Amino acid sequence: MKKRIVIALGGNALGNNLEEQYLAVRNTAGPIVDLIEAGHQVVIAHGNGPQVGMIQNAMTALHKQNPEKYGECPLAVCGAMSQGYIGYDLQNALREVLLERGIQKPVTTLITQVEVDLADPAFQNPTKPIGSFMTKEEAEILQARGENVVEDAGRGYRRVVASPRPIGIVELESVKTLMDAGQIVITCGGGGIPVAKQENGKLMGVPAVIDKDFAAELLAELVDADMLIILTAVEKVAIRFRQPDEQWLSEMTIGEAEKHIAAGEFAPGSMLPKVQAAVRFAGSGKGRTALITLLEKAAEGISGQTGTRVVGE
């Protein structure tokens, strides 16, 4: 049965720098085109952790070199830059594989803004480190300007920003229009460019990082996907991970997953948001299923042969 699928690509599918990314996306494109060739409609979201950090560091260095000529670059702008250059490599890799297989399908990267709520509690407790390490003196300058800076394990000081939950996708109608036209859409890169609505209705970029799994989940809901596939570095989700009684899971109901979450089975910042996003999607509508697995196992996971499926009760 053909499905509408949202795929959330993790950092392991994109590499950590320009050269690694160029090579990684070519390995990434094959399994995605496998799904397209099987008749599924695919929408792609992705992370941008290493990439946006690299851009932020470069822009900060440029500002330090000549502060009068080059102003500081907002994090939201760095996020937009990362969407463009990741999308450039990824869409070209997909096009190459599609052409090799004789499939005529256009691929489009959409610079995507994702709305957050400034009342989200995450803004009261920023925890997401970004940018390069700083000296104590540099950190104090930022703190005096109201920035949140923390000492990082004796390695120096780093700026931290909030990681709020996404509440809307600004370019959603554009995504749907492209999908209806038969295009493969790359969207919500890095969780989306975080924006908030002002009183006048205009959008304002905010210094935050949205978890790409939560953004992909919201995207999957809003485009009425049948399946959300969250790709990661393991074939299945485990409880008691790396312990003698480690157990790999082929399926979890929403209730089972919530019990494991409550028991602290999944690491924050790693598997936890993936399982939380999977639970939310599986509970968002009848017949919706989430799958967590390796990129190269996605096709097998759809057919139920591997991966961890999260399903409704």
Side-chain angles (χ1 to χ4, degrees):
M1 184 178 175
K2 308 300 185 272
K3 298 180 183 295
R4 174 173 285 188
I5 299 169
V6 170
I7 297 175
L9 291 176
N12 59 314
L14 299 172
N16 292 301
N17 54 46
L18 288 169
E19 184 177 342
E20 284 185 17
Q21 179 174 296
Y22 180 81
L23 298 172
V25 294
R26 273 144 184 79
N27 293 326
T28 298
I32 294 175
V33 174
D34 288 343
L35 301 180
I36 296 165
E37 196 169 23
H40 302 299
Q41 185 176 33
V42 171
V43 187
I44 302 162
H46 61 79
N48 71 346
Q51 294 85 357
V52 77
M54 182 180 68
I55 292 168
Q56 180 87 12
N57 289 346
M59 298 306 289
T60 300
L62 192 63
H63 170 67
K64 287 180 178 179
Q65 177 185 317
N66 192 338
E68 292 183 3
K69 184 176 181 180
Y70 302 108
E72 293 187 65
C73 188
L75 183 58
V77 175
C78 293
M81 291 179 182
S82 76
Q83 286 188 0
Y85 107 75
I86 292 170
Y88 164 70
D89 273 348
L90 187 53
Q91 71 186 28
N92 282 339
L94 287 165
R95 281 195 180 110
E96 285 181 12
V97 177
L98 288 164
L99 286 172
E100 287 168 5
R101 301 191 192 182
I103 301 171
Q104 298 297 320
K105 267 188 175 294
V107 188
T108 298
T109 297
L110 190 64
I111 303 301
T112 315
Q113 301 171 95
V114 172
E115 187 182 351
V116 298
D117 185 351
L118 291 178
D120 190 306
F123 284 104
Q124 304 304 315
N125 181 34
T127 58
K128 195 80 172 178
I130 61 162
S132 57
F133 288 100
M134 298 175 281
T135 65
K136 185 177 181 181
E137 291 72 24
E138 289 173 323
E140 287 173 349
I141 291 171
L142 287 185
Q143 287 172 324
R145 285 166 29 191
E147 302 277 6
N148 294 287
V149 181
V150 298
E151 198 275 330
D152 191 337
R155 296 179 294 175
Y157 293 79
R158 292 185 79 188
R159 183 181 171 208
V160 289
V161 296
S163 185
R165 294 295 180 97
I167 62 171
I169 297 172
V170 177
E171 287 76 21
L172 178 64
E173 292 308 312
S174 298
V175 173
K176 289 180 176 179
T177 299
L178 290 166
M179 291 173 65
D180 290 343
Q183 299 213 24
I184 301 160
V185 186
I186 302 166
T187 183
C188 293
I193 303 162
V195 295
K197 277 185 183 170
Q198 302 178 71
E199 289 184 5
N200 60 9
K202 293 183 179 180
L203 296 172
M204 171 184 66
V206 296
V209 174
I210 302 168
D211 189 289
K212 69 101 176 41
D213 295 316
F214 293 136
E217 188 283 322
L218 178 62
L219 174 67
E221 282 193 45
L222 296 179
V223 300
D224 195 24
D226 303 298
M227 179 172 275
L228 169 66
I229 302 180
I230 299 175
L231 300 172
T232 186
V234 291
E235 188 169 339
K236 294 185 179 184
V237 176
I239 54 174
R240 299 182 292 279
F241 186 55
R242 291 180 175 169
Q243 297 179 29
D245 57 346
E246 177 182 75
Q247 181 183 348
W248 297 95
L249 305 173
S250 296
E251 185 171 289
M252 291 186 284
T253 64
I254 292 171
E256 289 168 342
E258 288 175 338
K259 286 179 182 178
H260 294 319
I261 290 170
E265 290 285 0
F266 309 122
S270 179
M271 188 57 74
L272 178 60
K274 293 172 174 55
V275 175
Q276 289 174 324
V279 166
R280 186 177 179 92
F281 181 70
S284 67
K286 187 176 180 181
R288 290 180 172 175
T289 301
L291 172 69
I292 302 173
T293 193
L294 289 166
L295 170 67
E296 56 269 26
K297 296 288 185 179
E300 293 174 51
I302 290 172
S303 63
Q305 298 175 57
T306 191
T308 301
R309 298 167 73 90
V310 180
V311 297
E313 303 293 343

